[in-house]
Amino acid sequence: MPNGNQLPIKCIIVDDEPMARDVVRRYVQMVPTLKLVGEFGNAIDATIFLQEQSVDIIFLDIKMPQLTGTEFVRSLHTVPKIIFTTAHKEYAHEGFELDVTDYLLKPIRFDRFLRAVNKAFPQKQQEIQSAAAVAAEEGKPANSFIYLRLDRKMKKVLLDDILYIESNRDYVKVFTEKDIIITRQTIASVEAMLSESQFIRVHRSYIVSLSKLKSFTAETVEIGNKELPIGKLYRNNFLKLQGS
């Protein structure tokens, strides 16, 4: 557990619903004192991760296949701070029997999320609230990187290295200055992790880095040696932000 001089607070998200993970991920990114080091769609993968890594807090769904959130907590030898995130009120009693920090009902509001984090680390309450306020005022996450899941590990990707992102149905290709990263995530879930001041959706299948934009027309954008289409639904917003 972090002490007064140790930052950030390491956390993971465990939830089988992609949209629910998106919400919690965005909230974590709003609080610079929190560092997301893992994201899992089931408790078994999270168990494997925790065999090699320690964390300070787990945002944990309860009703999941194979292994429920409560069964997962009972299986842990060392239990970090636990904040349950669930749509089912009936599990509240069982959750609190495990002496968890808090119990958040979906849909989760940011103020309620922040209160739960403050409850987990009361000694850092002022620091957490101040950092969150700055991030909220700026309207973007404070992190300069994201983590993408590759098989059973999380790969750190610097935002400044990303050229553009392409969706291919069941997976996403992230084109960087050095390589191409393929991850089984939706383009919407990746978009939720990105700073709006650095990236923009130009098509249902493409997100581009604004700093890597070489040129554009009303129909296309040029990134590196690649020309990408601008979708009709995204054109007005893109051109407006470019002052055109």
Side-chain angles (χ1 to χ4, degrees):
M1 182 181 299
N3 60 36
N5 297 317
Q6 292 179 317
L7 284 176
I9 297 166
K10 295 188 294 183
C11 62
I12 63 173
I13 302 169
V14 186
D15 197 312
D16 64 323
E17 300 176 9
M19 293 301 293
R21 294 198 302 271
D22 290 347
V23 170
V24 177
R25 185 192 312 111
R26 287 197 299 271
Y27 289 170
V28 168
Q29 292 176 328
M30 291 280 292
V31 185
T33 47
L34 295 178
K35 179 181 180 181
L36 184 63
V37 295
E39 181 179 327
F40 308 94
N42 62 77
I44 294 176
D45 286 347
T47 299
I48 295 172
F49 177 84
L50 291 175
Q51 288 173 353
E52 298 182 355
Q53 302 285 337
S54 63
V55 300
D56 303 303
I57 188 168
I58 302 176
F59 298 99
L60 178 64
D61 187 20
I62 294 180
K63 190 175 181 181
M64 293 185 292
Q66 298 177 303
L67 190 68
T68 68
T70 52
E71 291 170 339
F72 170 64
V73 173
R74 290 190 177 96
S75 73
L76 296 175
H77 294 294
T78 302
V79 183
K81 300 288 186 179
I82 302 290
I83 295 179
F84 278 135
T85 59
T86 181
H88 303 279
K89 294 181 180 179
E90 60 269 26
Y91 293 109
H93 180 69
E94 184 179 6
F96 281 117
E97 280 185 343
L98 294 172
D99 195 29
V100 301
T101 297
D102 211 338
Y103 186 98
L104 302 179
L105 280 176
K106 301 172 183 176
I108 301 168
R109 303 188 318 273
F110 178 67
D111 62 333
R112 184 65 183 85
F113 170 88
L114 195 60
R115 197 189 322 160
V117 175
N118 287 333
K119 185 177 179 181
F121 302 100
Q123 72 276 19
K124 291 186 171 294
Q125 182 171 344
Q126 183 175 355
E127 189 173 2
I128 291 169
Q129 288 180 319
S130 297
V134 170
E137 185 176 343
E138 293 178 350
K140 61 180 181 180
N143 291 342
S144 60
F145 58 86
I146 59 175
Y147 279 97
L148 297 175
R149 186 174 181 185
L150 277 68
D151 296 323
R152 292 191 173 183
K153 67 179 180 180
M154 305 297 291
K155 181 177 177 65
K156 183 178 182 178
V157 182
L158 298 178
L159 297 183
D160 286 342
D161 287 345
I162 297 175
L163 298 173
Y164 66 94
I165 299 163
E166 178 182 0
S167 172
N168 283 275
R169 293 189 178 181
D170 297 332
Y171 61 91
V172 167
K173 290 182 178 179
V174 179
F175 293 79
T176 74
E177 301 275 11
K178 302 175 182 177
D179 54 13
I180 302 173
I181 302 165
I182 300 177
T183 176
R184 286 197 172 275
Q185 295 177 233
T186 65
I187 193 168
S189 67
V190 175
E191 183 180 19
M193 294 188 285
L194 301 173
S195 166
E196 293 180 358
S197 66
Q198 292 177 267
F199 296 87
I200 187 169
R201 186 86 168 260
V202 296
H203 189 277
R204 65 179 182 178
S205 299
Y206 295 103
I207 298 171
V208 301
S209 169
L210 290 170
S211 66
K212 303 300 192 300
L213 189 65
K214 292 176 64 175
S215 65
F216 66 89
T217 68
E219 287 78 32
T220 63
V221 294
E222 185 181 2
I223 300 285
N225 297 320
K226 185 76 172 181
E227 191 174 80
L228 305 175
I230 299 177
K232 291 182 180 179
L233 294 177
Y234 303 89
R235 182 172 300 150
N236 288 342
N237 183 53
F238 173 78
L239 294 176
K240 181 179 179 180
L241 289 176
Q242 304 310 309
S244 301

